Amino acid sequence: MEVVKKYFPGLSDFQLSQFEQMSQLFRELNEGVNVVSRKDIENIDVNHILHSLAIAKYIQFTPGTVVIDLGTGGGLPGLPLAVMFPDVKFHLIDRVGKKVNVARTIAEKLGLQNVSFQHGDMGECKETADFVVSRAVTDQPTLVKISRKNISPESKNALPNGLITLKGGDITRELGLYSQISEVTPVSSYFSEPFFSTKQIVYTPILTR
């Protein structure tokens, strides 16, 4: 996984081997369950795994942090982040059972011990987390609304607890009033590949008190 090694030179050989295996597993399992567009599966390393890891450039989660991946699909961005942060707990949720099963299979084959899974929606989630992450699920105000009850009031990271999403294009209208409290960071500030020229990380703190 040269593209991951390029941007994260401090990874262990074991982590790099996990990313290599993850890439291959996505290619194999996607033939049965379409978790990534079949037209795009050959770009899994850059457009999906590395894209997910933009969050790891934005924030270094403190060990013991709990993260919910809302609308994970086949495990993005949760699984790449779980490899990157083995001392952080990730809870992956999706409404489509077949996709959750793909993510679970990949996690098992990679030997990930810091990942749990839920087939359902956020309204059914009882987990309390420091952050909710999401990639191409729904608009930021909706994500804030449905995530608020699951955000812990006690922060342990450099950023206050909240929502971190991966988005594309102009999101000014989408953010609305949340633009006043949200931080938008171009992914191109971390990665030079052309795919990231229109991609952004959006962070919105969620106050629960």
Side-chain angles (χ1 to χ4, degrees):
M1 181 67 77
E2 289 302 316
V3 72
V4 172
K5 185 177 181 180
K6 171 184 174 182
Y7 291 108
F8 298 92
L11 289 174
S12 68
D13 289 342
F14 179 64
Q15 286 172 303
L16 289 171
S17 71
Q18 285 180 306
F19 281 121
E20 290 281 3
Q21 189 177 3
M22 181 187 299
S23 175
Q24 186 58 37
L25 286 167
F26 269 118
R27 296 169 196 268
E28 293 173 0
L29 295 172
N30 203 64
E31 294 181 5
V33 180
N34 192 22
V35 295
V36 172
S37 168
R38 290 190 171 92
K39 295 180 180 179
D40 200 37
I41 190 63
E42 291 306 313
N43 301 312
I44 185 70
D45 294 357
V46 171
N47 295 8
H48 300 279
I49 294 175
L50 185 62
H51 188 203
S52 298
L53 293 175
I55 293 173
K57 287 290 189 182
Y58 183 73
I59 180 173
Q60 287 286 304
F61 293 120
T62 300
T65 296
V66 179
V67 179
I68 293 174
D69 178 4
L70 173 57
T72 189
L76 299 166
L79 292 180
L81 292 173
V83 171
M84 184 65 64
F85 299 107
D87 295 323
V88 172
K89 179 184 176 183
F90 292 87
H91 185 64
L92 279 56
I93 305 174
D94 201 272
R95 291 178 176 177
V96 182
K98 291 181 179 180
K99 293 183 177 182
V100 174
N101 288 337
V102 167
R104 183 183 286 110
T105 297
I106 293 173
E108 290 174 351
K109 289 185 178 295
L110 295 181
L112 294 176
Q113 301 296 312
N114 58 331
V115 184
S116 57
F117 300 90
Q118 180 180 334
H119 173 208
D121 59 35
M122 197 64 171
E124 302 167 324
C125 180
K126 307 300 182 185
E127 292 278 338
T128 299
D130 301 287
F131 293 93
V132 171
V133 299
S134 192
R135 179 176 184 256
V137 174
T138 188
D139 63 89
Q140 198 83 351
T142 298
L143 288 170
V144 170
K145 181 179 179 179
I146 63 179
S147 301
R148 187 181 301 277
K149 69 178 179 60
N150 298 91
I151 297 295
S152 170
E154 305 298 331
S155 295
K156 60 173 69 79
N157 288 268
L159 291 175
N161 293 354
L163 174 67
I164 303 173
T165 56
L166 293 167
K167 293 185 174 292
D170 185 357
I171 59 169
T172 305
R173 182 183 295 273
E174 173 188 325
L175 285 179
L177 294 177
Y178 285 102
S179 63
Q180 300 175 25
I181 62 170
S182 298
E183 181 175 76
V184 179
T185 304
V187 177
S188 59
S189 64
Y190 305 127
F191 307 141
S192 62
E193 284 73 11
F195 173 76
F196 300 113
S197 63
T198 61
K199 306 301 181 184
Q200 300 166 88
I201 297 174
V202 183
Y203 160 66
T204 305
I206 298 180
L207 303 178
T208 56
R209 286 183 175 175

